[in-house]
């Protein structure tokens, strides 16, 4: 089976959907953020604060390159993975890109009480969310399948993915 790769902004539901989807498919799930932290032996917050975003993106790129070699996985990506076209190119080689769009207000509500997202540790997170989303729209557009999670439960999103994407990923 090809990988199913979930992309989308912070708070789009990638983690919840990815874990449930993997359960339903009986496959392993990989989260690129977790792998980055594992390899760096530290948190994403400290990678950003000690070495900056550029360094984080380098680590992210190397993790993406490696997980792209695998198959039979659900791959949950960080919200900024799409910014480097090479990442998407690598992930598409053996995977189908499933994009979960989200409205700025919904993303904000989902992430506002969490402090582990360095890009949103700013005075006006909602404004930053809107700006980042606007800039990133062109990058998120590079996907194979898109499903808005707003009015759906996690299970409903997973059902849609199973119905529409599974036929294209093989056994
Ligand atoms: C980021 C999203 C985060 C994480 C890092 C940068 C981004 O992942 O990779 O903080 O640039 O949007 P989530 O989308 O899982 O929150």
């Amino acid at each position: 089976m090809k990988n199913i790769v979930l992309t989308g902004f912070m708070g789009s539901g990638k983690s919840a959907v990815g874990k449930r989807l993997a359960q339903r498919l009986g496959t392993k799930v990989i989260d690129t953020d977790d792998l980055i932290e594992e390899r760096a032996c530290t948190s994403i917050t400290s990678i950003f604060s000690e070495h900056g975003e550029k360094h984080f993106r380098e680590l992210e790129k190397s993790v993406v390159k490696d997980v792209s070699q695998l198959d039979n996985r659900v791959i949950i990506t960080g919200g900024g993975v799409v910014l480097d076209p090479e990442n998407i190119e690598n992930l598409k080689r053996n995977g189908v890109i499933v994009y979960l769009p989200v409205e700025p207000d919904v993303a904000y509500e989902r992430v506002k009480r969490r402090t582990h997202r360095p890009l949103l540790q700013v005075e006006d997170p909602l404004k930053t969310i809107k700006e980042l989303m606007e800039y990133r729209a062109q990058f998120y557009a590079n996907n194979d399948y898109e499903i808005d999670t707003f009015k759906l439960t996690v299970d409903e999103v997973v059902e849609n993915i199973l119905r529409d994407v599974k036929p294209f990923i093989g056994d």
Side-chain angles (χ1 to χ4, degrees), residues 40-56 59 118:
C41 296
T42 187
S43 67
I44 286 175
T45 304
S46 18
I47 300 172
F48 268 77
S49 65
E50 283 167 33
H51 306 286
E53 181 174 349
K54 188 164 174 280
H55 181 64
F56 171 79
L59 298 176

Side-chain angles (χ1 to χ4, degrees), residues 32 35 39 58-70 75 81 86-91 93:
T32 57
L35 216 52
R39 287 190 182 178
E58 284 162 9
L59 298 176
E60 185 173 55
K61 188 167 185 163
S62 133
V63 160
V64 164
K65 208 168 167 193
D66 292 346
V67 300
S68 298
Q69 317 278 339
L70 304 168
I75 300 176
V81 99
E86 252 179 77
N87 286 342
I88 296 298
E89 213 175 284
N90 280 329
L91 289 162
R93 221 164 265 150

Side-chain angles (χ1 to χ4, degrees), residues 10 14 33 44 48 56-57 60 78-80 117-119 136:
M10 295 172 263
K14 290 167 294 186
D33 282 347
I44 286 175
F48 268 77
F56 171 79
R57 297 295 173 205
E60 185 173 55
R117 291 186 172 97
L119 292 177
R136 290 180 178 184

Side-chain angles (χ1 to χ4, degrees), residues 6-164:
L6 299 179
T7 62
F9 199 77
M10 295 172 263
S12 58
K14 290 167 294 186
S15 295
V17 169
K19 284 175 192 155
R20 190 72 55 85
L21 181 61
Q23 271 173 6
R24 287 291 309 274
L25 289 165
T27 58
K28 289 186 182 153
V29 63
I30 294 192
D31 184 318
T32 57
D33 282 347
D34 290 348
L35 216 52
I36 292 166
E37 291 188 328
E38 239 174 80
R39 287 190 182 178
C41 296
T42 187
S43 67
I44 286 175
T45 304
S46 18
I47 300 172
F48 268 77
S49 65
E50 283 167 33
H51 306 286
E53 181 174 349
K54 188 164 174 280
H55 181 64
F56 171 79
R57 297 295 173 205
E58 284 162 9
L59 298 176
E60 185 173 55
K61 188 167 185 163
S62 133
V63 160
V64 164
K65 208 168 167 193
D66 292 346
V67 300
S68 298
Q69 317 278 339
L70 304 168
D71 52 18
N72 281 306
R73 303 285 200 286
V74 172
I75 300 176
I76 301 168
T77 61
V81 99
V82 294
L83 295 170
D84 187 331
E86 252 179 77
N87 286 342
I88 296 298
E89 213 175 284
N90 280 329
L91 289 162
K92 273 192 172 178
R93 221 164 265 150
N94 196 32
V96 175
I97 311 284
V98 175
Y99 169 51
L100 308 182
V102 63
E103 291 298 316
D105 308 19
V106 178
Y108 175 65
E109 281 306 314
R110 288 182 184 161
V111 303
K112 69 178 180 191
R113 271 178 232 93
R114 314 242 170 104
T115 55
H116 67 274
R117 291 186 172 97
L119 292 177
L120 301 181
Q121 302 313 304
V122 292
E123 208 179 309
D124 188 347
L126 182 56
K127 182 164 168 266
T128 300
I129 288 174
K130 286 180 180 162
E131 288 167 355
L132 285 174
M133 274 190 187
E134 202 179 320
Y135 172 67
R136 290 180 178 184
Q138 57 188 314
F139 298 99
Y140 287 128
N142 192 356
N143 66 67
D144 299 307
Y145 177 76
E146 193 171 316
I147 174 162
D148 194 332
T149 61
F150 179 45
K151 290 197 176 112
L152 302 177
T153 64
V154 169
D155 282 319
E156 286 167 341
V157 174
V158 167
E159 285 309 320
N160 278 283
I161 297 175
L162 289 172
R163 186 193 63 216
D164 297 339

